[in-house]
Amino acid sequence: MPLADRNSITRRELIHGAATGMISLAMGAGILGPQPSAKPPNIIFILADDLGYADVACYGRPDLSTPNIDRIASRGLRFLHGYANSAVCSATRTALITGRYQYRLRLGLEEPLAGNVTVGLPAEHPTLPSLLKKAGYSSTLVGKWHLGVPPKFGPLKSGYDHFYGFRGGAVDYFSHVGGQGKDDLWDDDVAIHQVGYLTDLLGSRAVDVVNNYAKSGRPFLVSLHFNAPHWPWEAVGDEAESERLRQPGSGGLMDFDGGSQKTYQRMIEEMDRQIGRVLQALDANGLTENTIVIFTSDNGGERFADTWPFTGKKTELLEGGLRIPTLISWPARIPQNRTTDQVAITMDWMPTLLAAASTAPDSSYPADGMNLLPMLTQNAAPVPRKLFWRYKANAQRAVRDGDYKFLKILNNTFLFNVAEDPLERANLKDRQKDVYHRLVREWNDWNASMLPEIQESFTHSFDGEELADHFGAKKSDQMPDIPGPPDD
């Protein structure tokens, strides 16, 4: 079925299509895919920032044109149950680069990392780029780091050969000024000043990096971590908005009184154009066939995002804060035009990509993620997963096991069947007490194996009216402002 025809399919069909076959696409390769290449694959890992589950066309949004992201889907596989390790940025990025639950590291307790210069990703911890380097890879991070600042921390200390981008959590798209009002654009560890819209600058540098690596003949990793569509809400041509946000009394980078659906869409579409340039560079250098291209997000969407058919957004362990678009192509190995019901999470990418490069995680730091390669390349049946989350605001915690999900917000607890009830409305905890209590026990067992929660984990920061509106409860039913730890 052509991509154009898929716009007529409902989004619910898109979610359940892999199981029912309603959106099955003609597979361009045999069921086992082409034979493996003798050369290690190149890797392009593209990470959007705060992108909602449905914020690209191939996940069902009809008012957005994202032909290049859709091209990754048509050349490979689209996950219907792709999750972020966290509902915020730096915690998920910790899991991505280490392949482990973020709460094994002090950095993972920062949700997100903001202004704490003593915390970051330890230079001695094995990472995806450092382990690939041992396997003969070159690597460059283009875009967002947000895992700690020099002199103790930085991308060059954690395995990347080169870095072009910004170190903090957010930056203005035109002035390239970060949250502390300081310039935050770097070429390796050298501060630079460039004129241009940041999404375009990142795309241009990524194209240059691909072209240079193509000449070297060595396998490479390019981590292309866009800041789009993270606030401030600035699209191409919005220099006046950038200038407004620099004035005293404005909303600053967080842009509370700015943005619109149209601006947000333009930000995504510009990111898509830059992704297209990178894909064209692969084509021009004859690298497409043996290059793994992954596109995903660091967490669920924010203010203007579309998280349909889920509820909740960034900072929430509801599905909308965790479920993310997740696409992969590797024409040499992965059959094309497929969707999968395999439950996957950010930390899976490290062991998966290391396996593709014929290497493995450091045995002293075993991965918590799983190697997805058999499912990706051999059309293997989905493997049952049990995934755990916690988030310090509102003492949130969650477990996904099969179709069931345990969720806790403050002292309000729930059991949902997220396959049948993706909006998380029907609380089954009394009807299925055995499942509920088992998941609570398993969450507590998992939590005991992580670093302890910090005091902010038990601080009320959720509006009671908002919580009541979501679950149909009375405000009087809400728990006290500072609940204790779970007693289930």
Side-chain angles (χ1 to χ4, degrees), residues 280-317:
Q280 289 169 6
L282 292 175
D283 290 343
N285 287 288
L287 299 176
T288 298
E289 186 73 9
N290 197 35
T291 297
I292 298 171
V293 179
I294 294 168
F295 175 83
T296 188
S297 180
D298 58 350
N299 47 252
E302 224 226 42
R303 192 179 313 172
F304 298 107
D306 186 350
T307 61
W308 195 98
F310 312 116
T311 192
K313 293 185 184 295
K314 176 182 176 180
T315 76
E316 299 169 357
L317 297 189

Side-chain angles (χ1 to χ4, degrees), residues 108-362:
L109 304 182
E110 301 287 331
E111 296 174 313
L113 179 63
N116 192 339
V117 298
T118 67
V119 174
L121 179 62
E124 67 274 11
H125 196 295
T127 64
L128 175 62
S130 72
L131 293 168
L132 285 174
K133 181 180 292 188
K134 293 181 178 179
Y137 278 69
S138 301
S139 64
T140 298
L141 170 60
V142 178
K144 183 172 178 176
W145 168 244
H146 203 195
L147 295 177
V149 298
K152 290 181 64 176
F153 314 110
L156 302 185
K157 292 184 178 294
S158 288
Y160 285 106
D161 297 314
H162 299 289
F163 168 58
Y164 173 88
F166 60 104
R167 295 168 172 169
V171 69
D172 187 272
Y173 286 80
F174 294 95
S175 69
H176 315 143
V177 169
Q180 304 300 316
K182 298 179 180 179
D183 292 344
D184 190 11
L185 187 61
W186 305 84
D187 196 340
D188 288 338
D189 281 335
V190 177
I192 60 172
H193 299 274
Q194 283 188 272
V195 175
Y197 184 67
L198 188 55
T199 302
D200 295 351
L201 295 178
L202 298 179
S204 293
R205 177 56 65 96
V207 168
D208 290 344
V209 170
V210 169
N211 288 335
N212 288 334
Y213 279 148
K215 295 173 185 175
S216 76
R218 293 182 62 186
F220 61 81
L221 163 68
V222 176
S223 298
L224 176 53
H225 295 183
F226 287 103
N227 56 324
H230 193 290
W231 44 260
W233 315 111
E234 299 167 355
V236 172
D238 287 343
E239 290 90 344
E241 177 69 357
S242 173
E243 182 60 30
R244 182 184 76 85
L245 294 177
R246 300 183 72 175
Q247 304 308 309
S250 73
L253 280 185
M254 296 188 76
D255 204 3
F256 289 116
D257 59 351
S260 66
Q261 277 289 327
K262 182 56 65 177
T263 298
Y264 183 75
Q265 292 173 25
R266 288 166 55 214
M267 294 169 75
I268 293 172
E269 290 177 348
E270 186 60 28
M271 176 174 63
D272 182 81
R273 275 189 282 274
Q274 298 307 315
I275 291 170
R277 295 180 62 204
V278 175
L279 298 180
Q280 289 169 6
L282 292 175
D283 290 343
N285 287 288
L287 299 176
T288 298
E289 186 73 9
N290 197 35
T291 297
I292 298 171
V293 179
I294 294 168
F295 175 83
T296 188
S297 180
D298 58 350
N299 47 252
E302 224 226 42
R303 192 179 313 172
F304 298 107
D306 186 350
T307 61
W308 195 98
F310 312 116
T311 192
K313 293 185 184 295
K314 176 182 176 180
T315 76
E316 299 169 357
L317 297 189
L318 294 154
E319 290 292 284
L322 293 172
R323 197 85 73 95
I324 50 176
T326 308
L327 310 168
I328 182 171
S329 68
W330 184 11
R333 295 290 306 277
I334 297 176
Q336 299 184 21
N337 293 334
R338 287 197 297 148
T339 60
T340 180
D341 280 324
Q342 175 65 59
V343 174
I345 192 167
T346 310
M347 64 186 176
D348 292 340
W349 290 120
M350 191 239 221
T352 299
L353 293 173
L354 291 179
S358 301
T359 187
D362 188 315

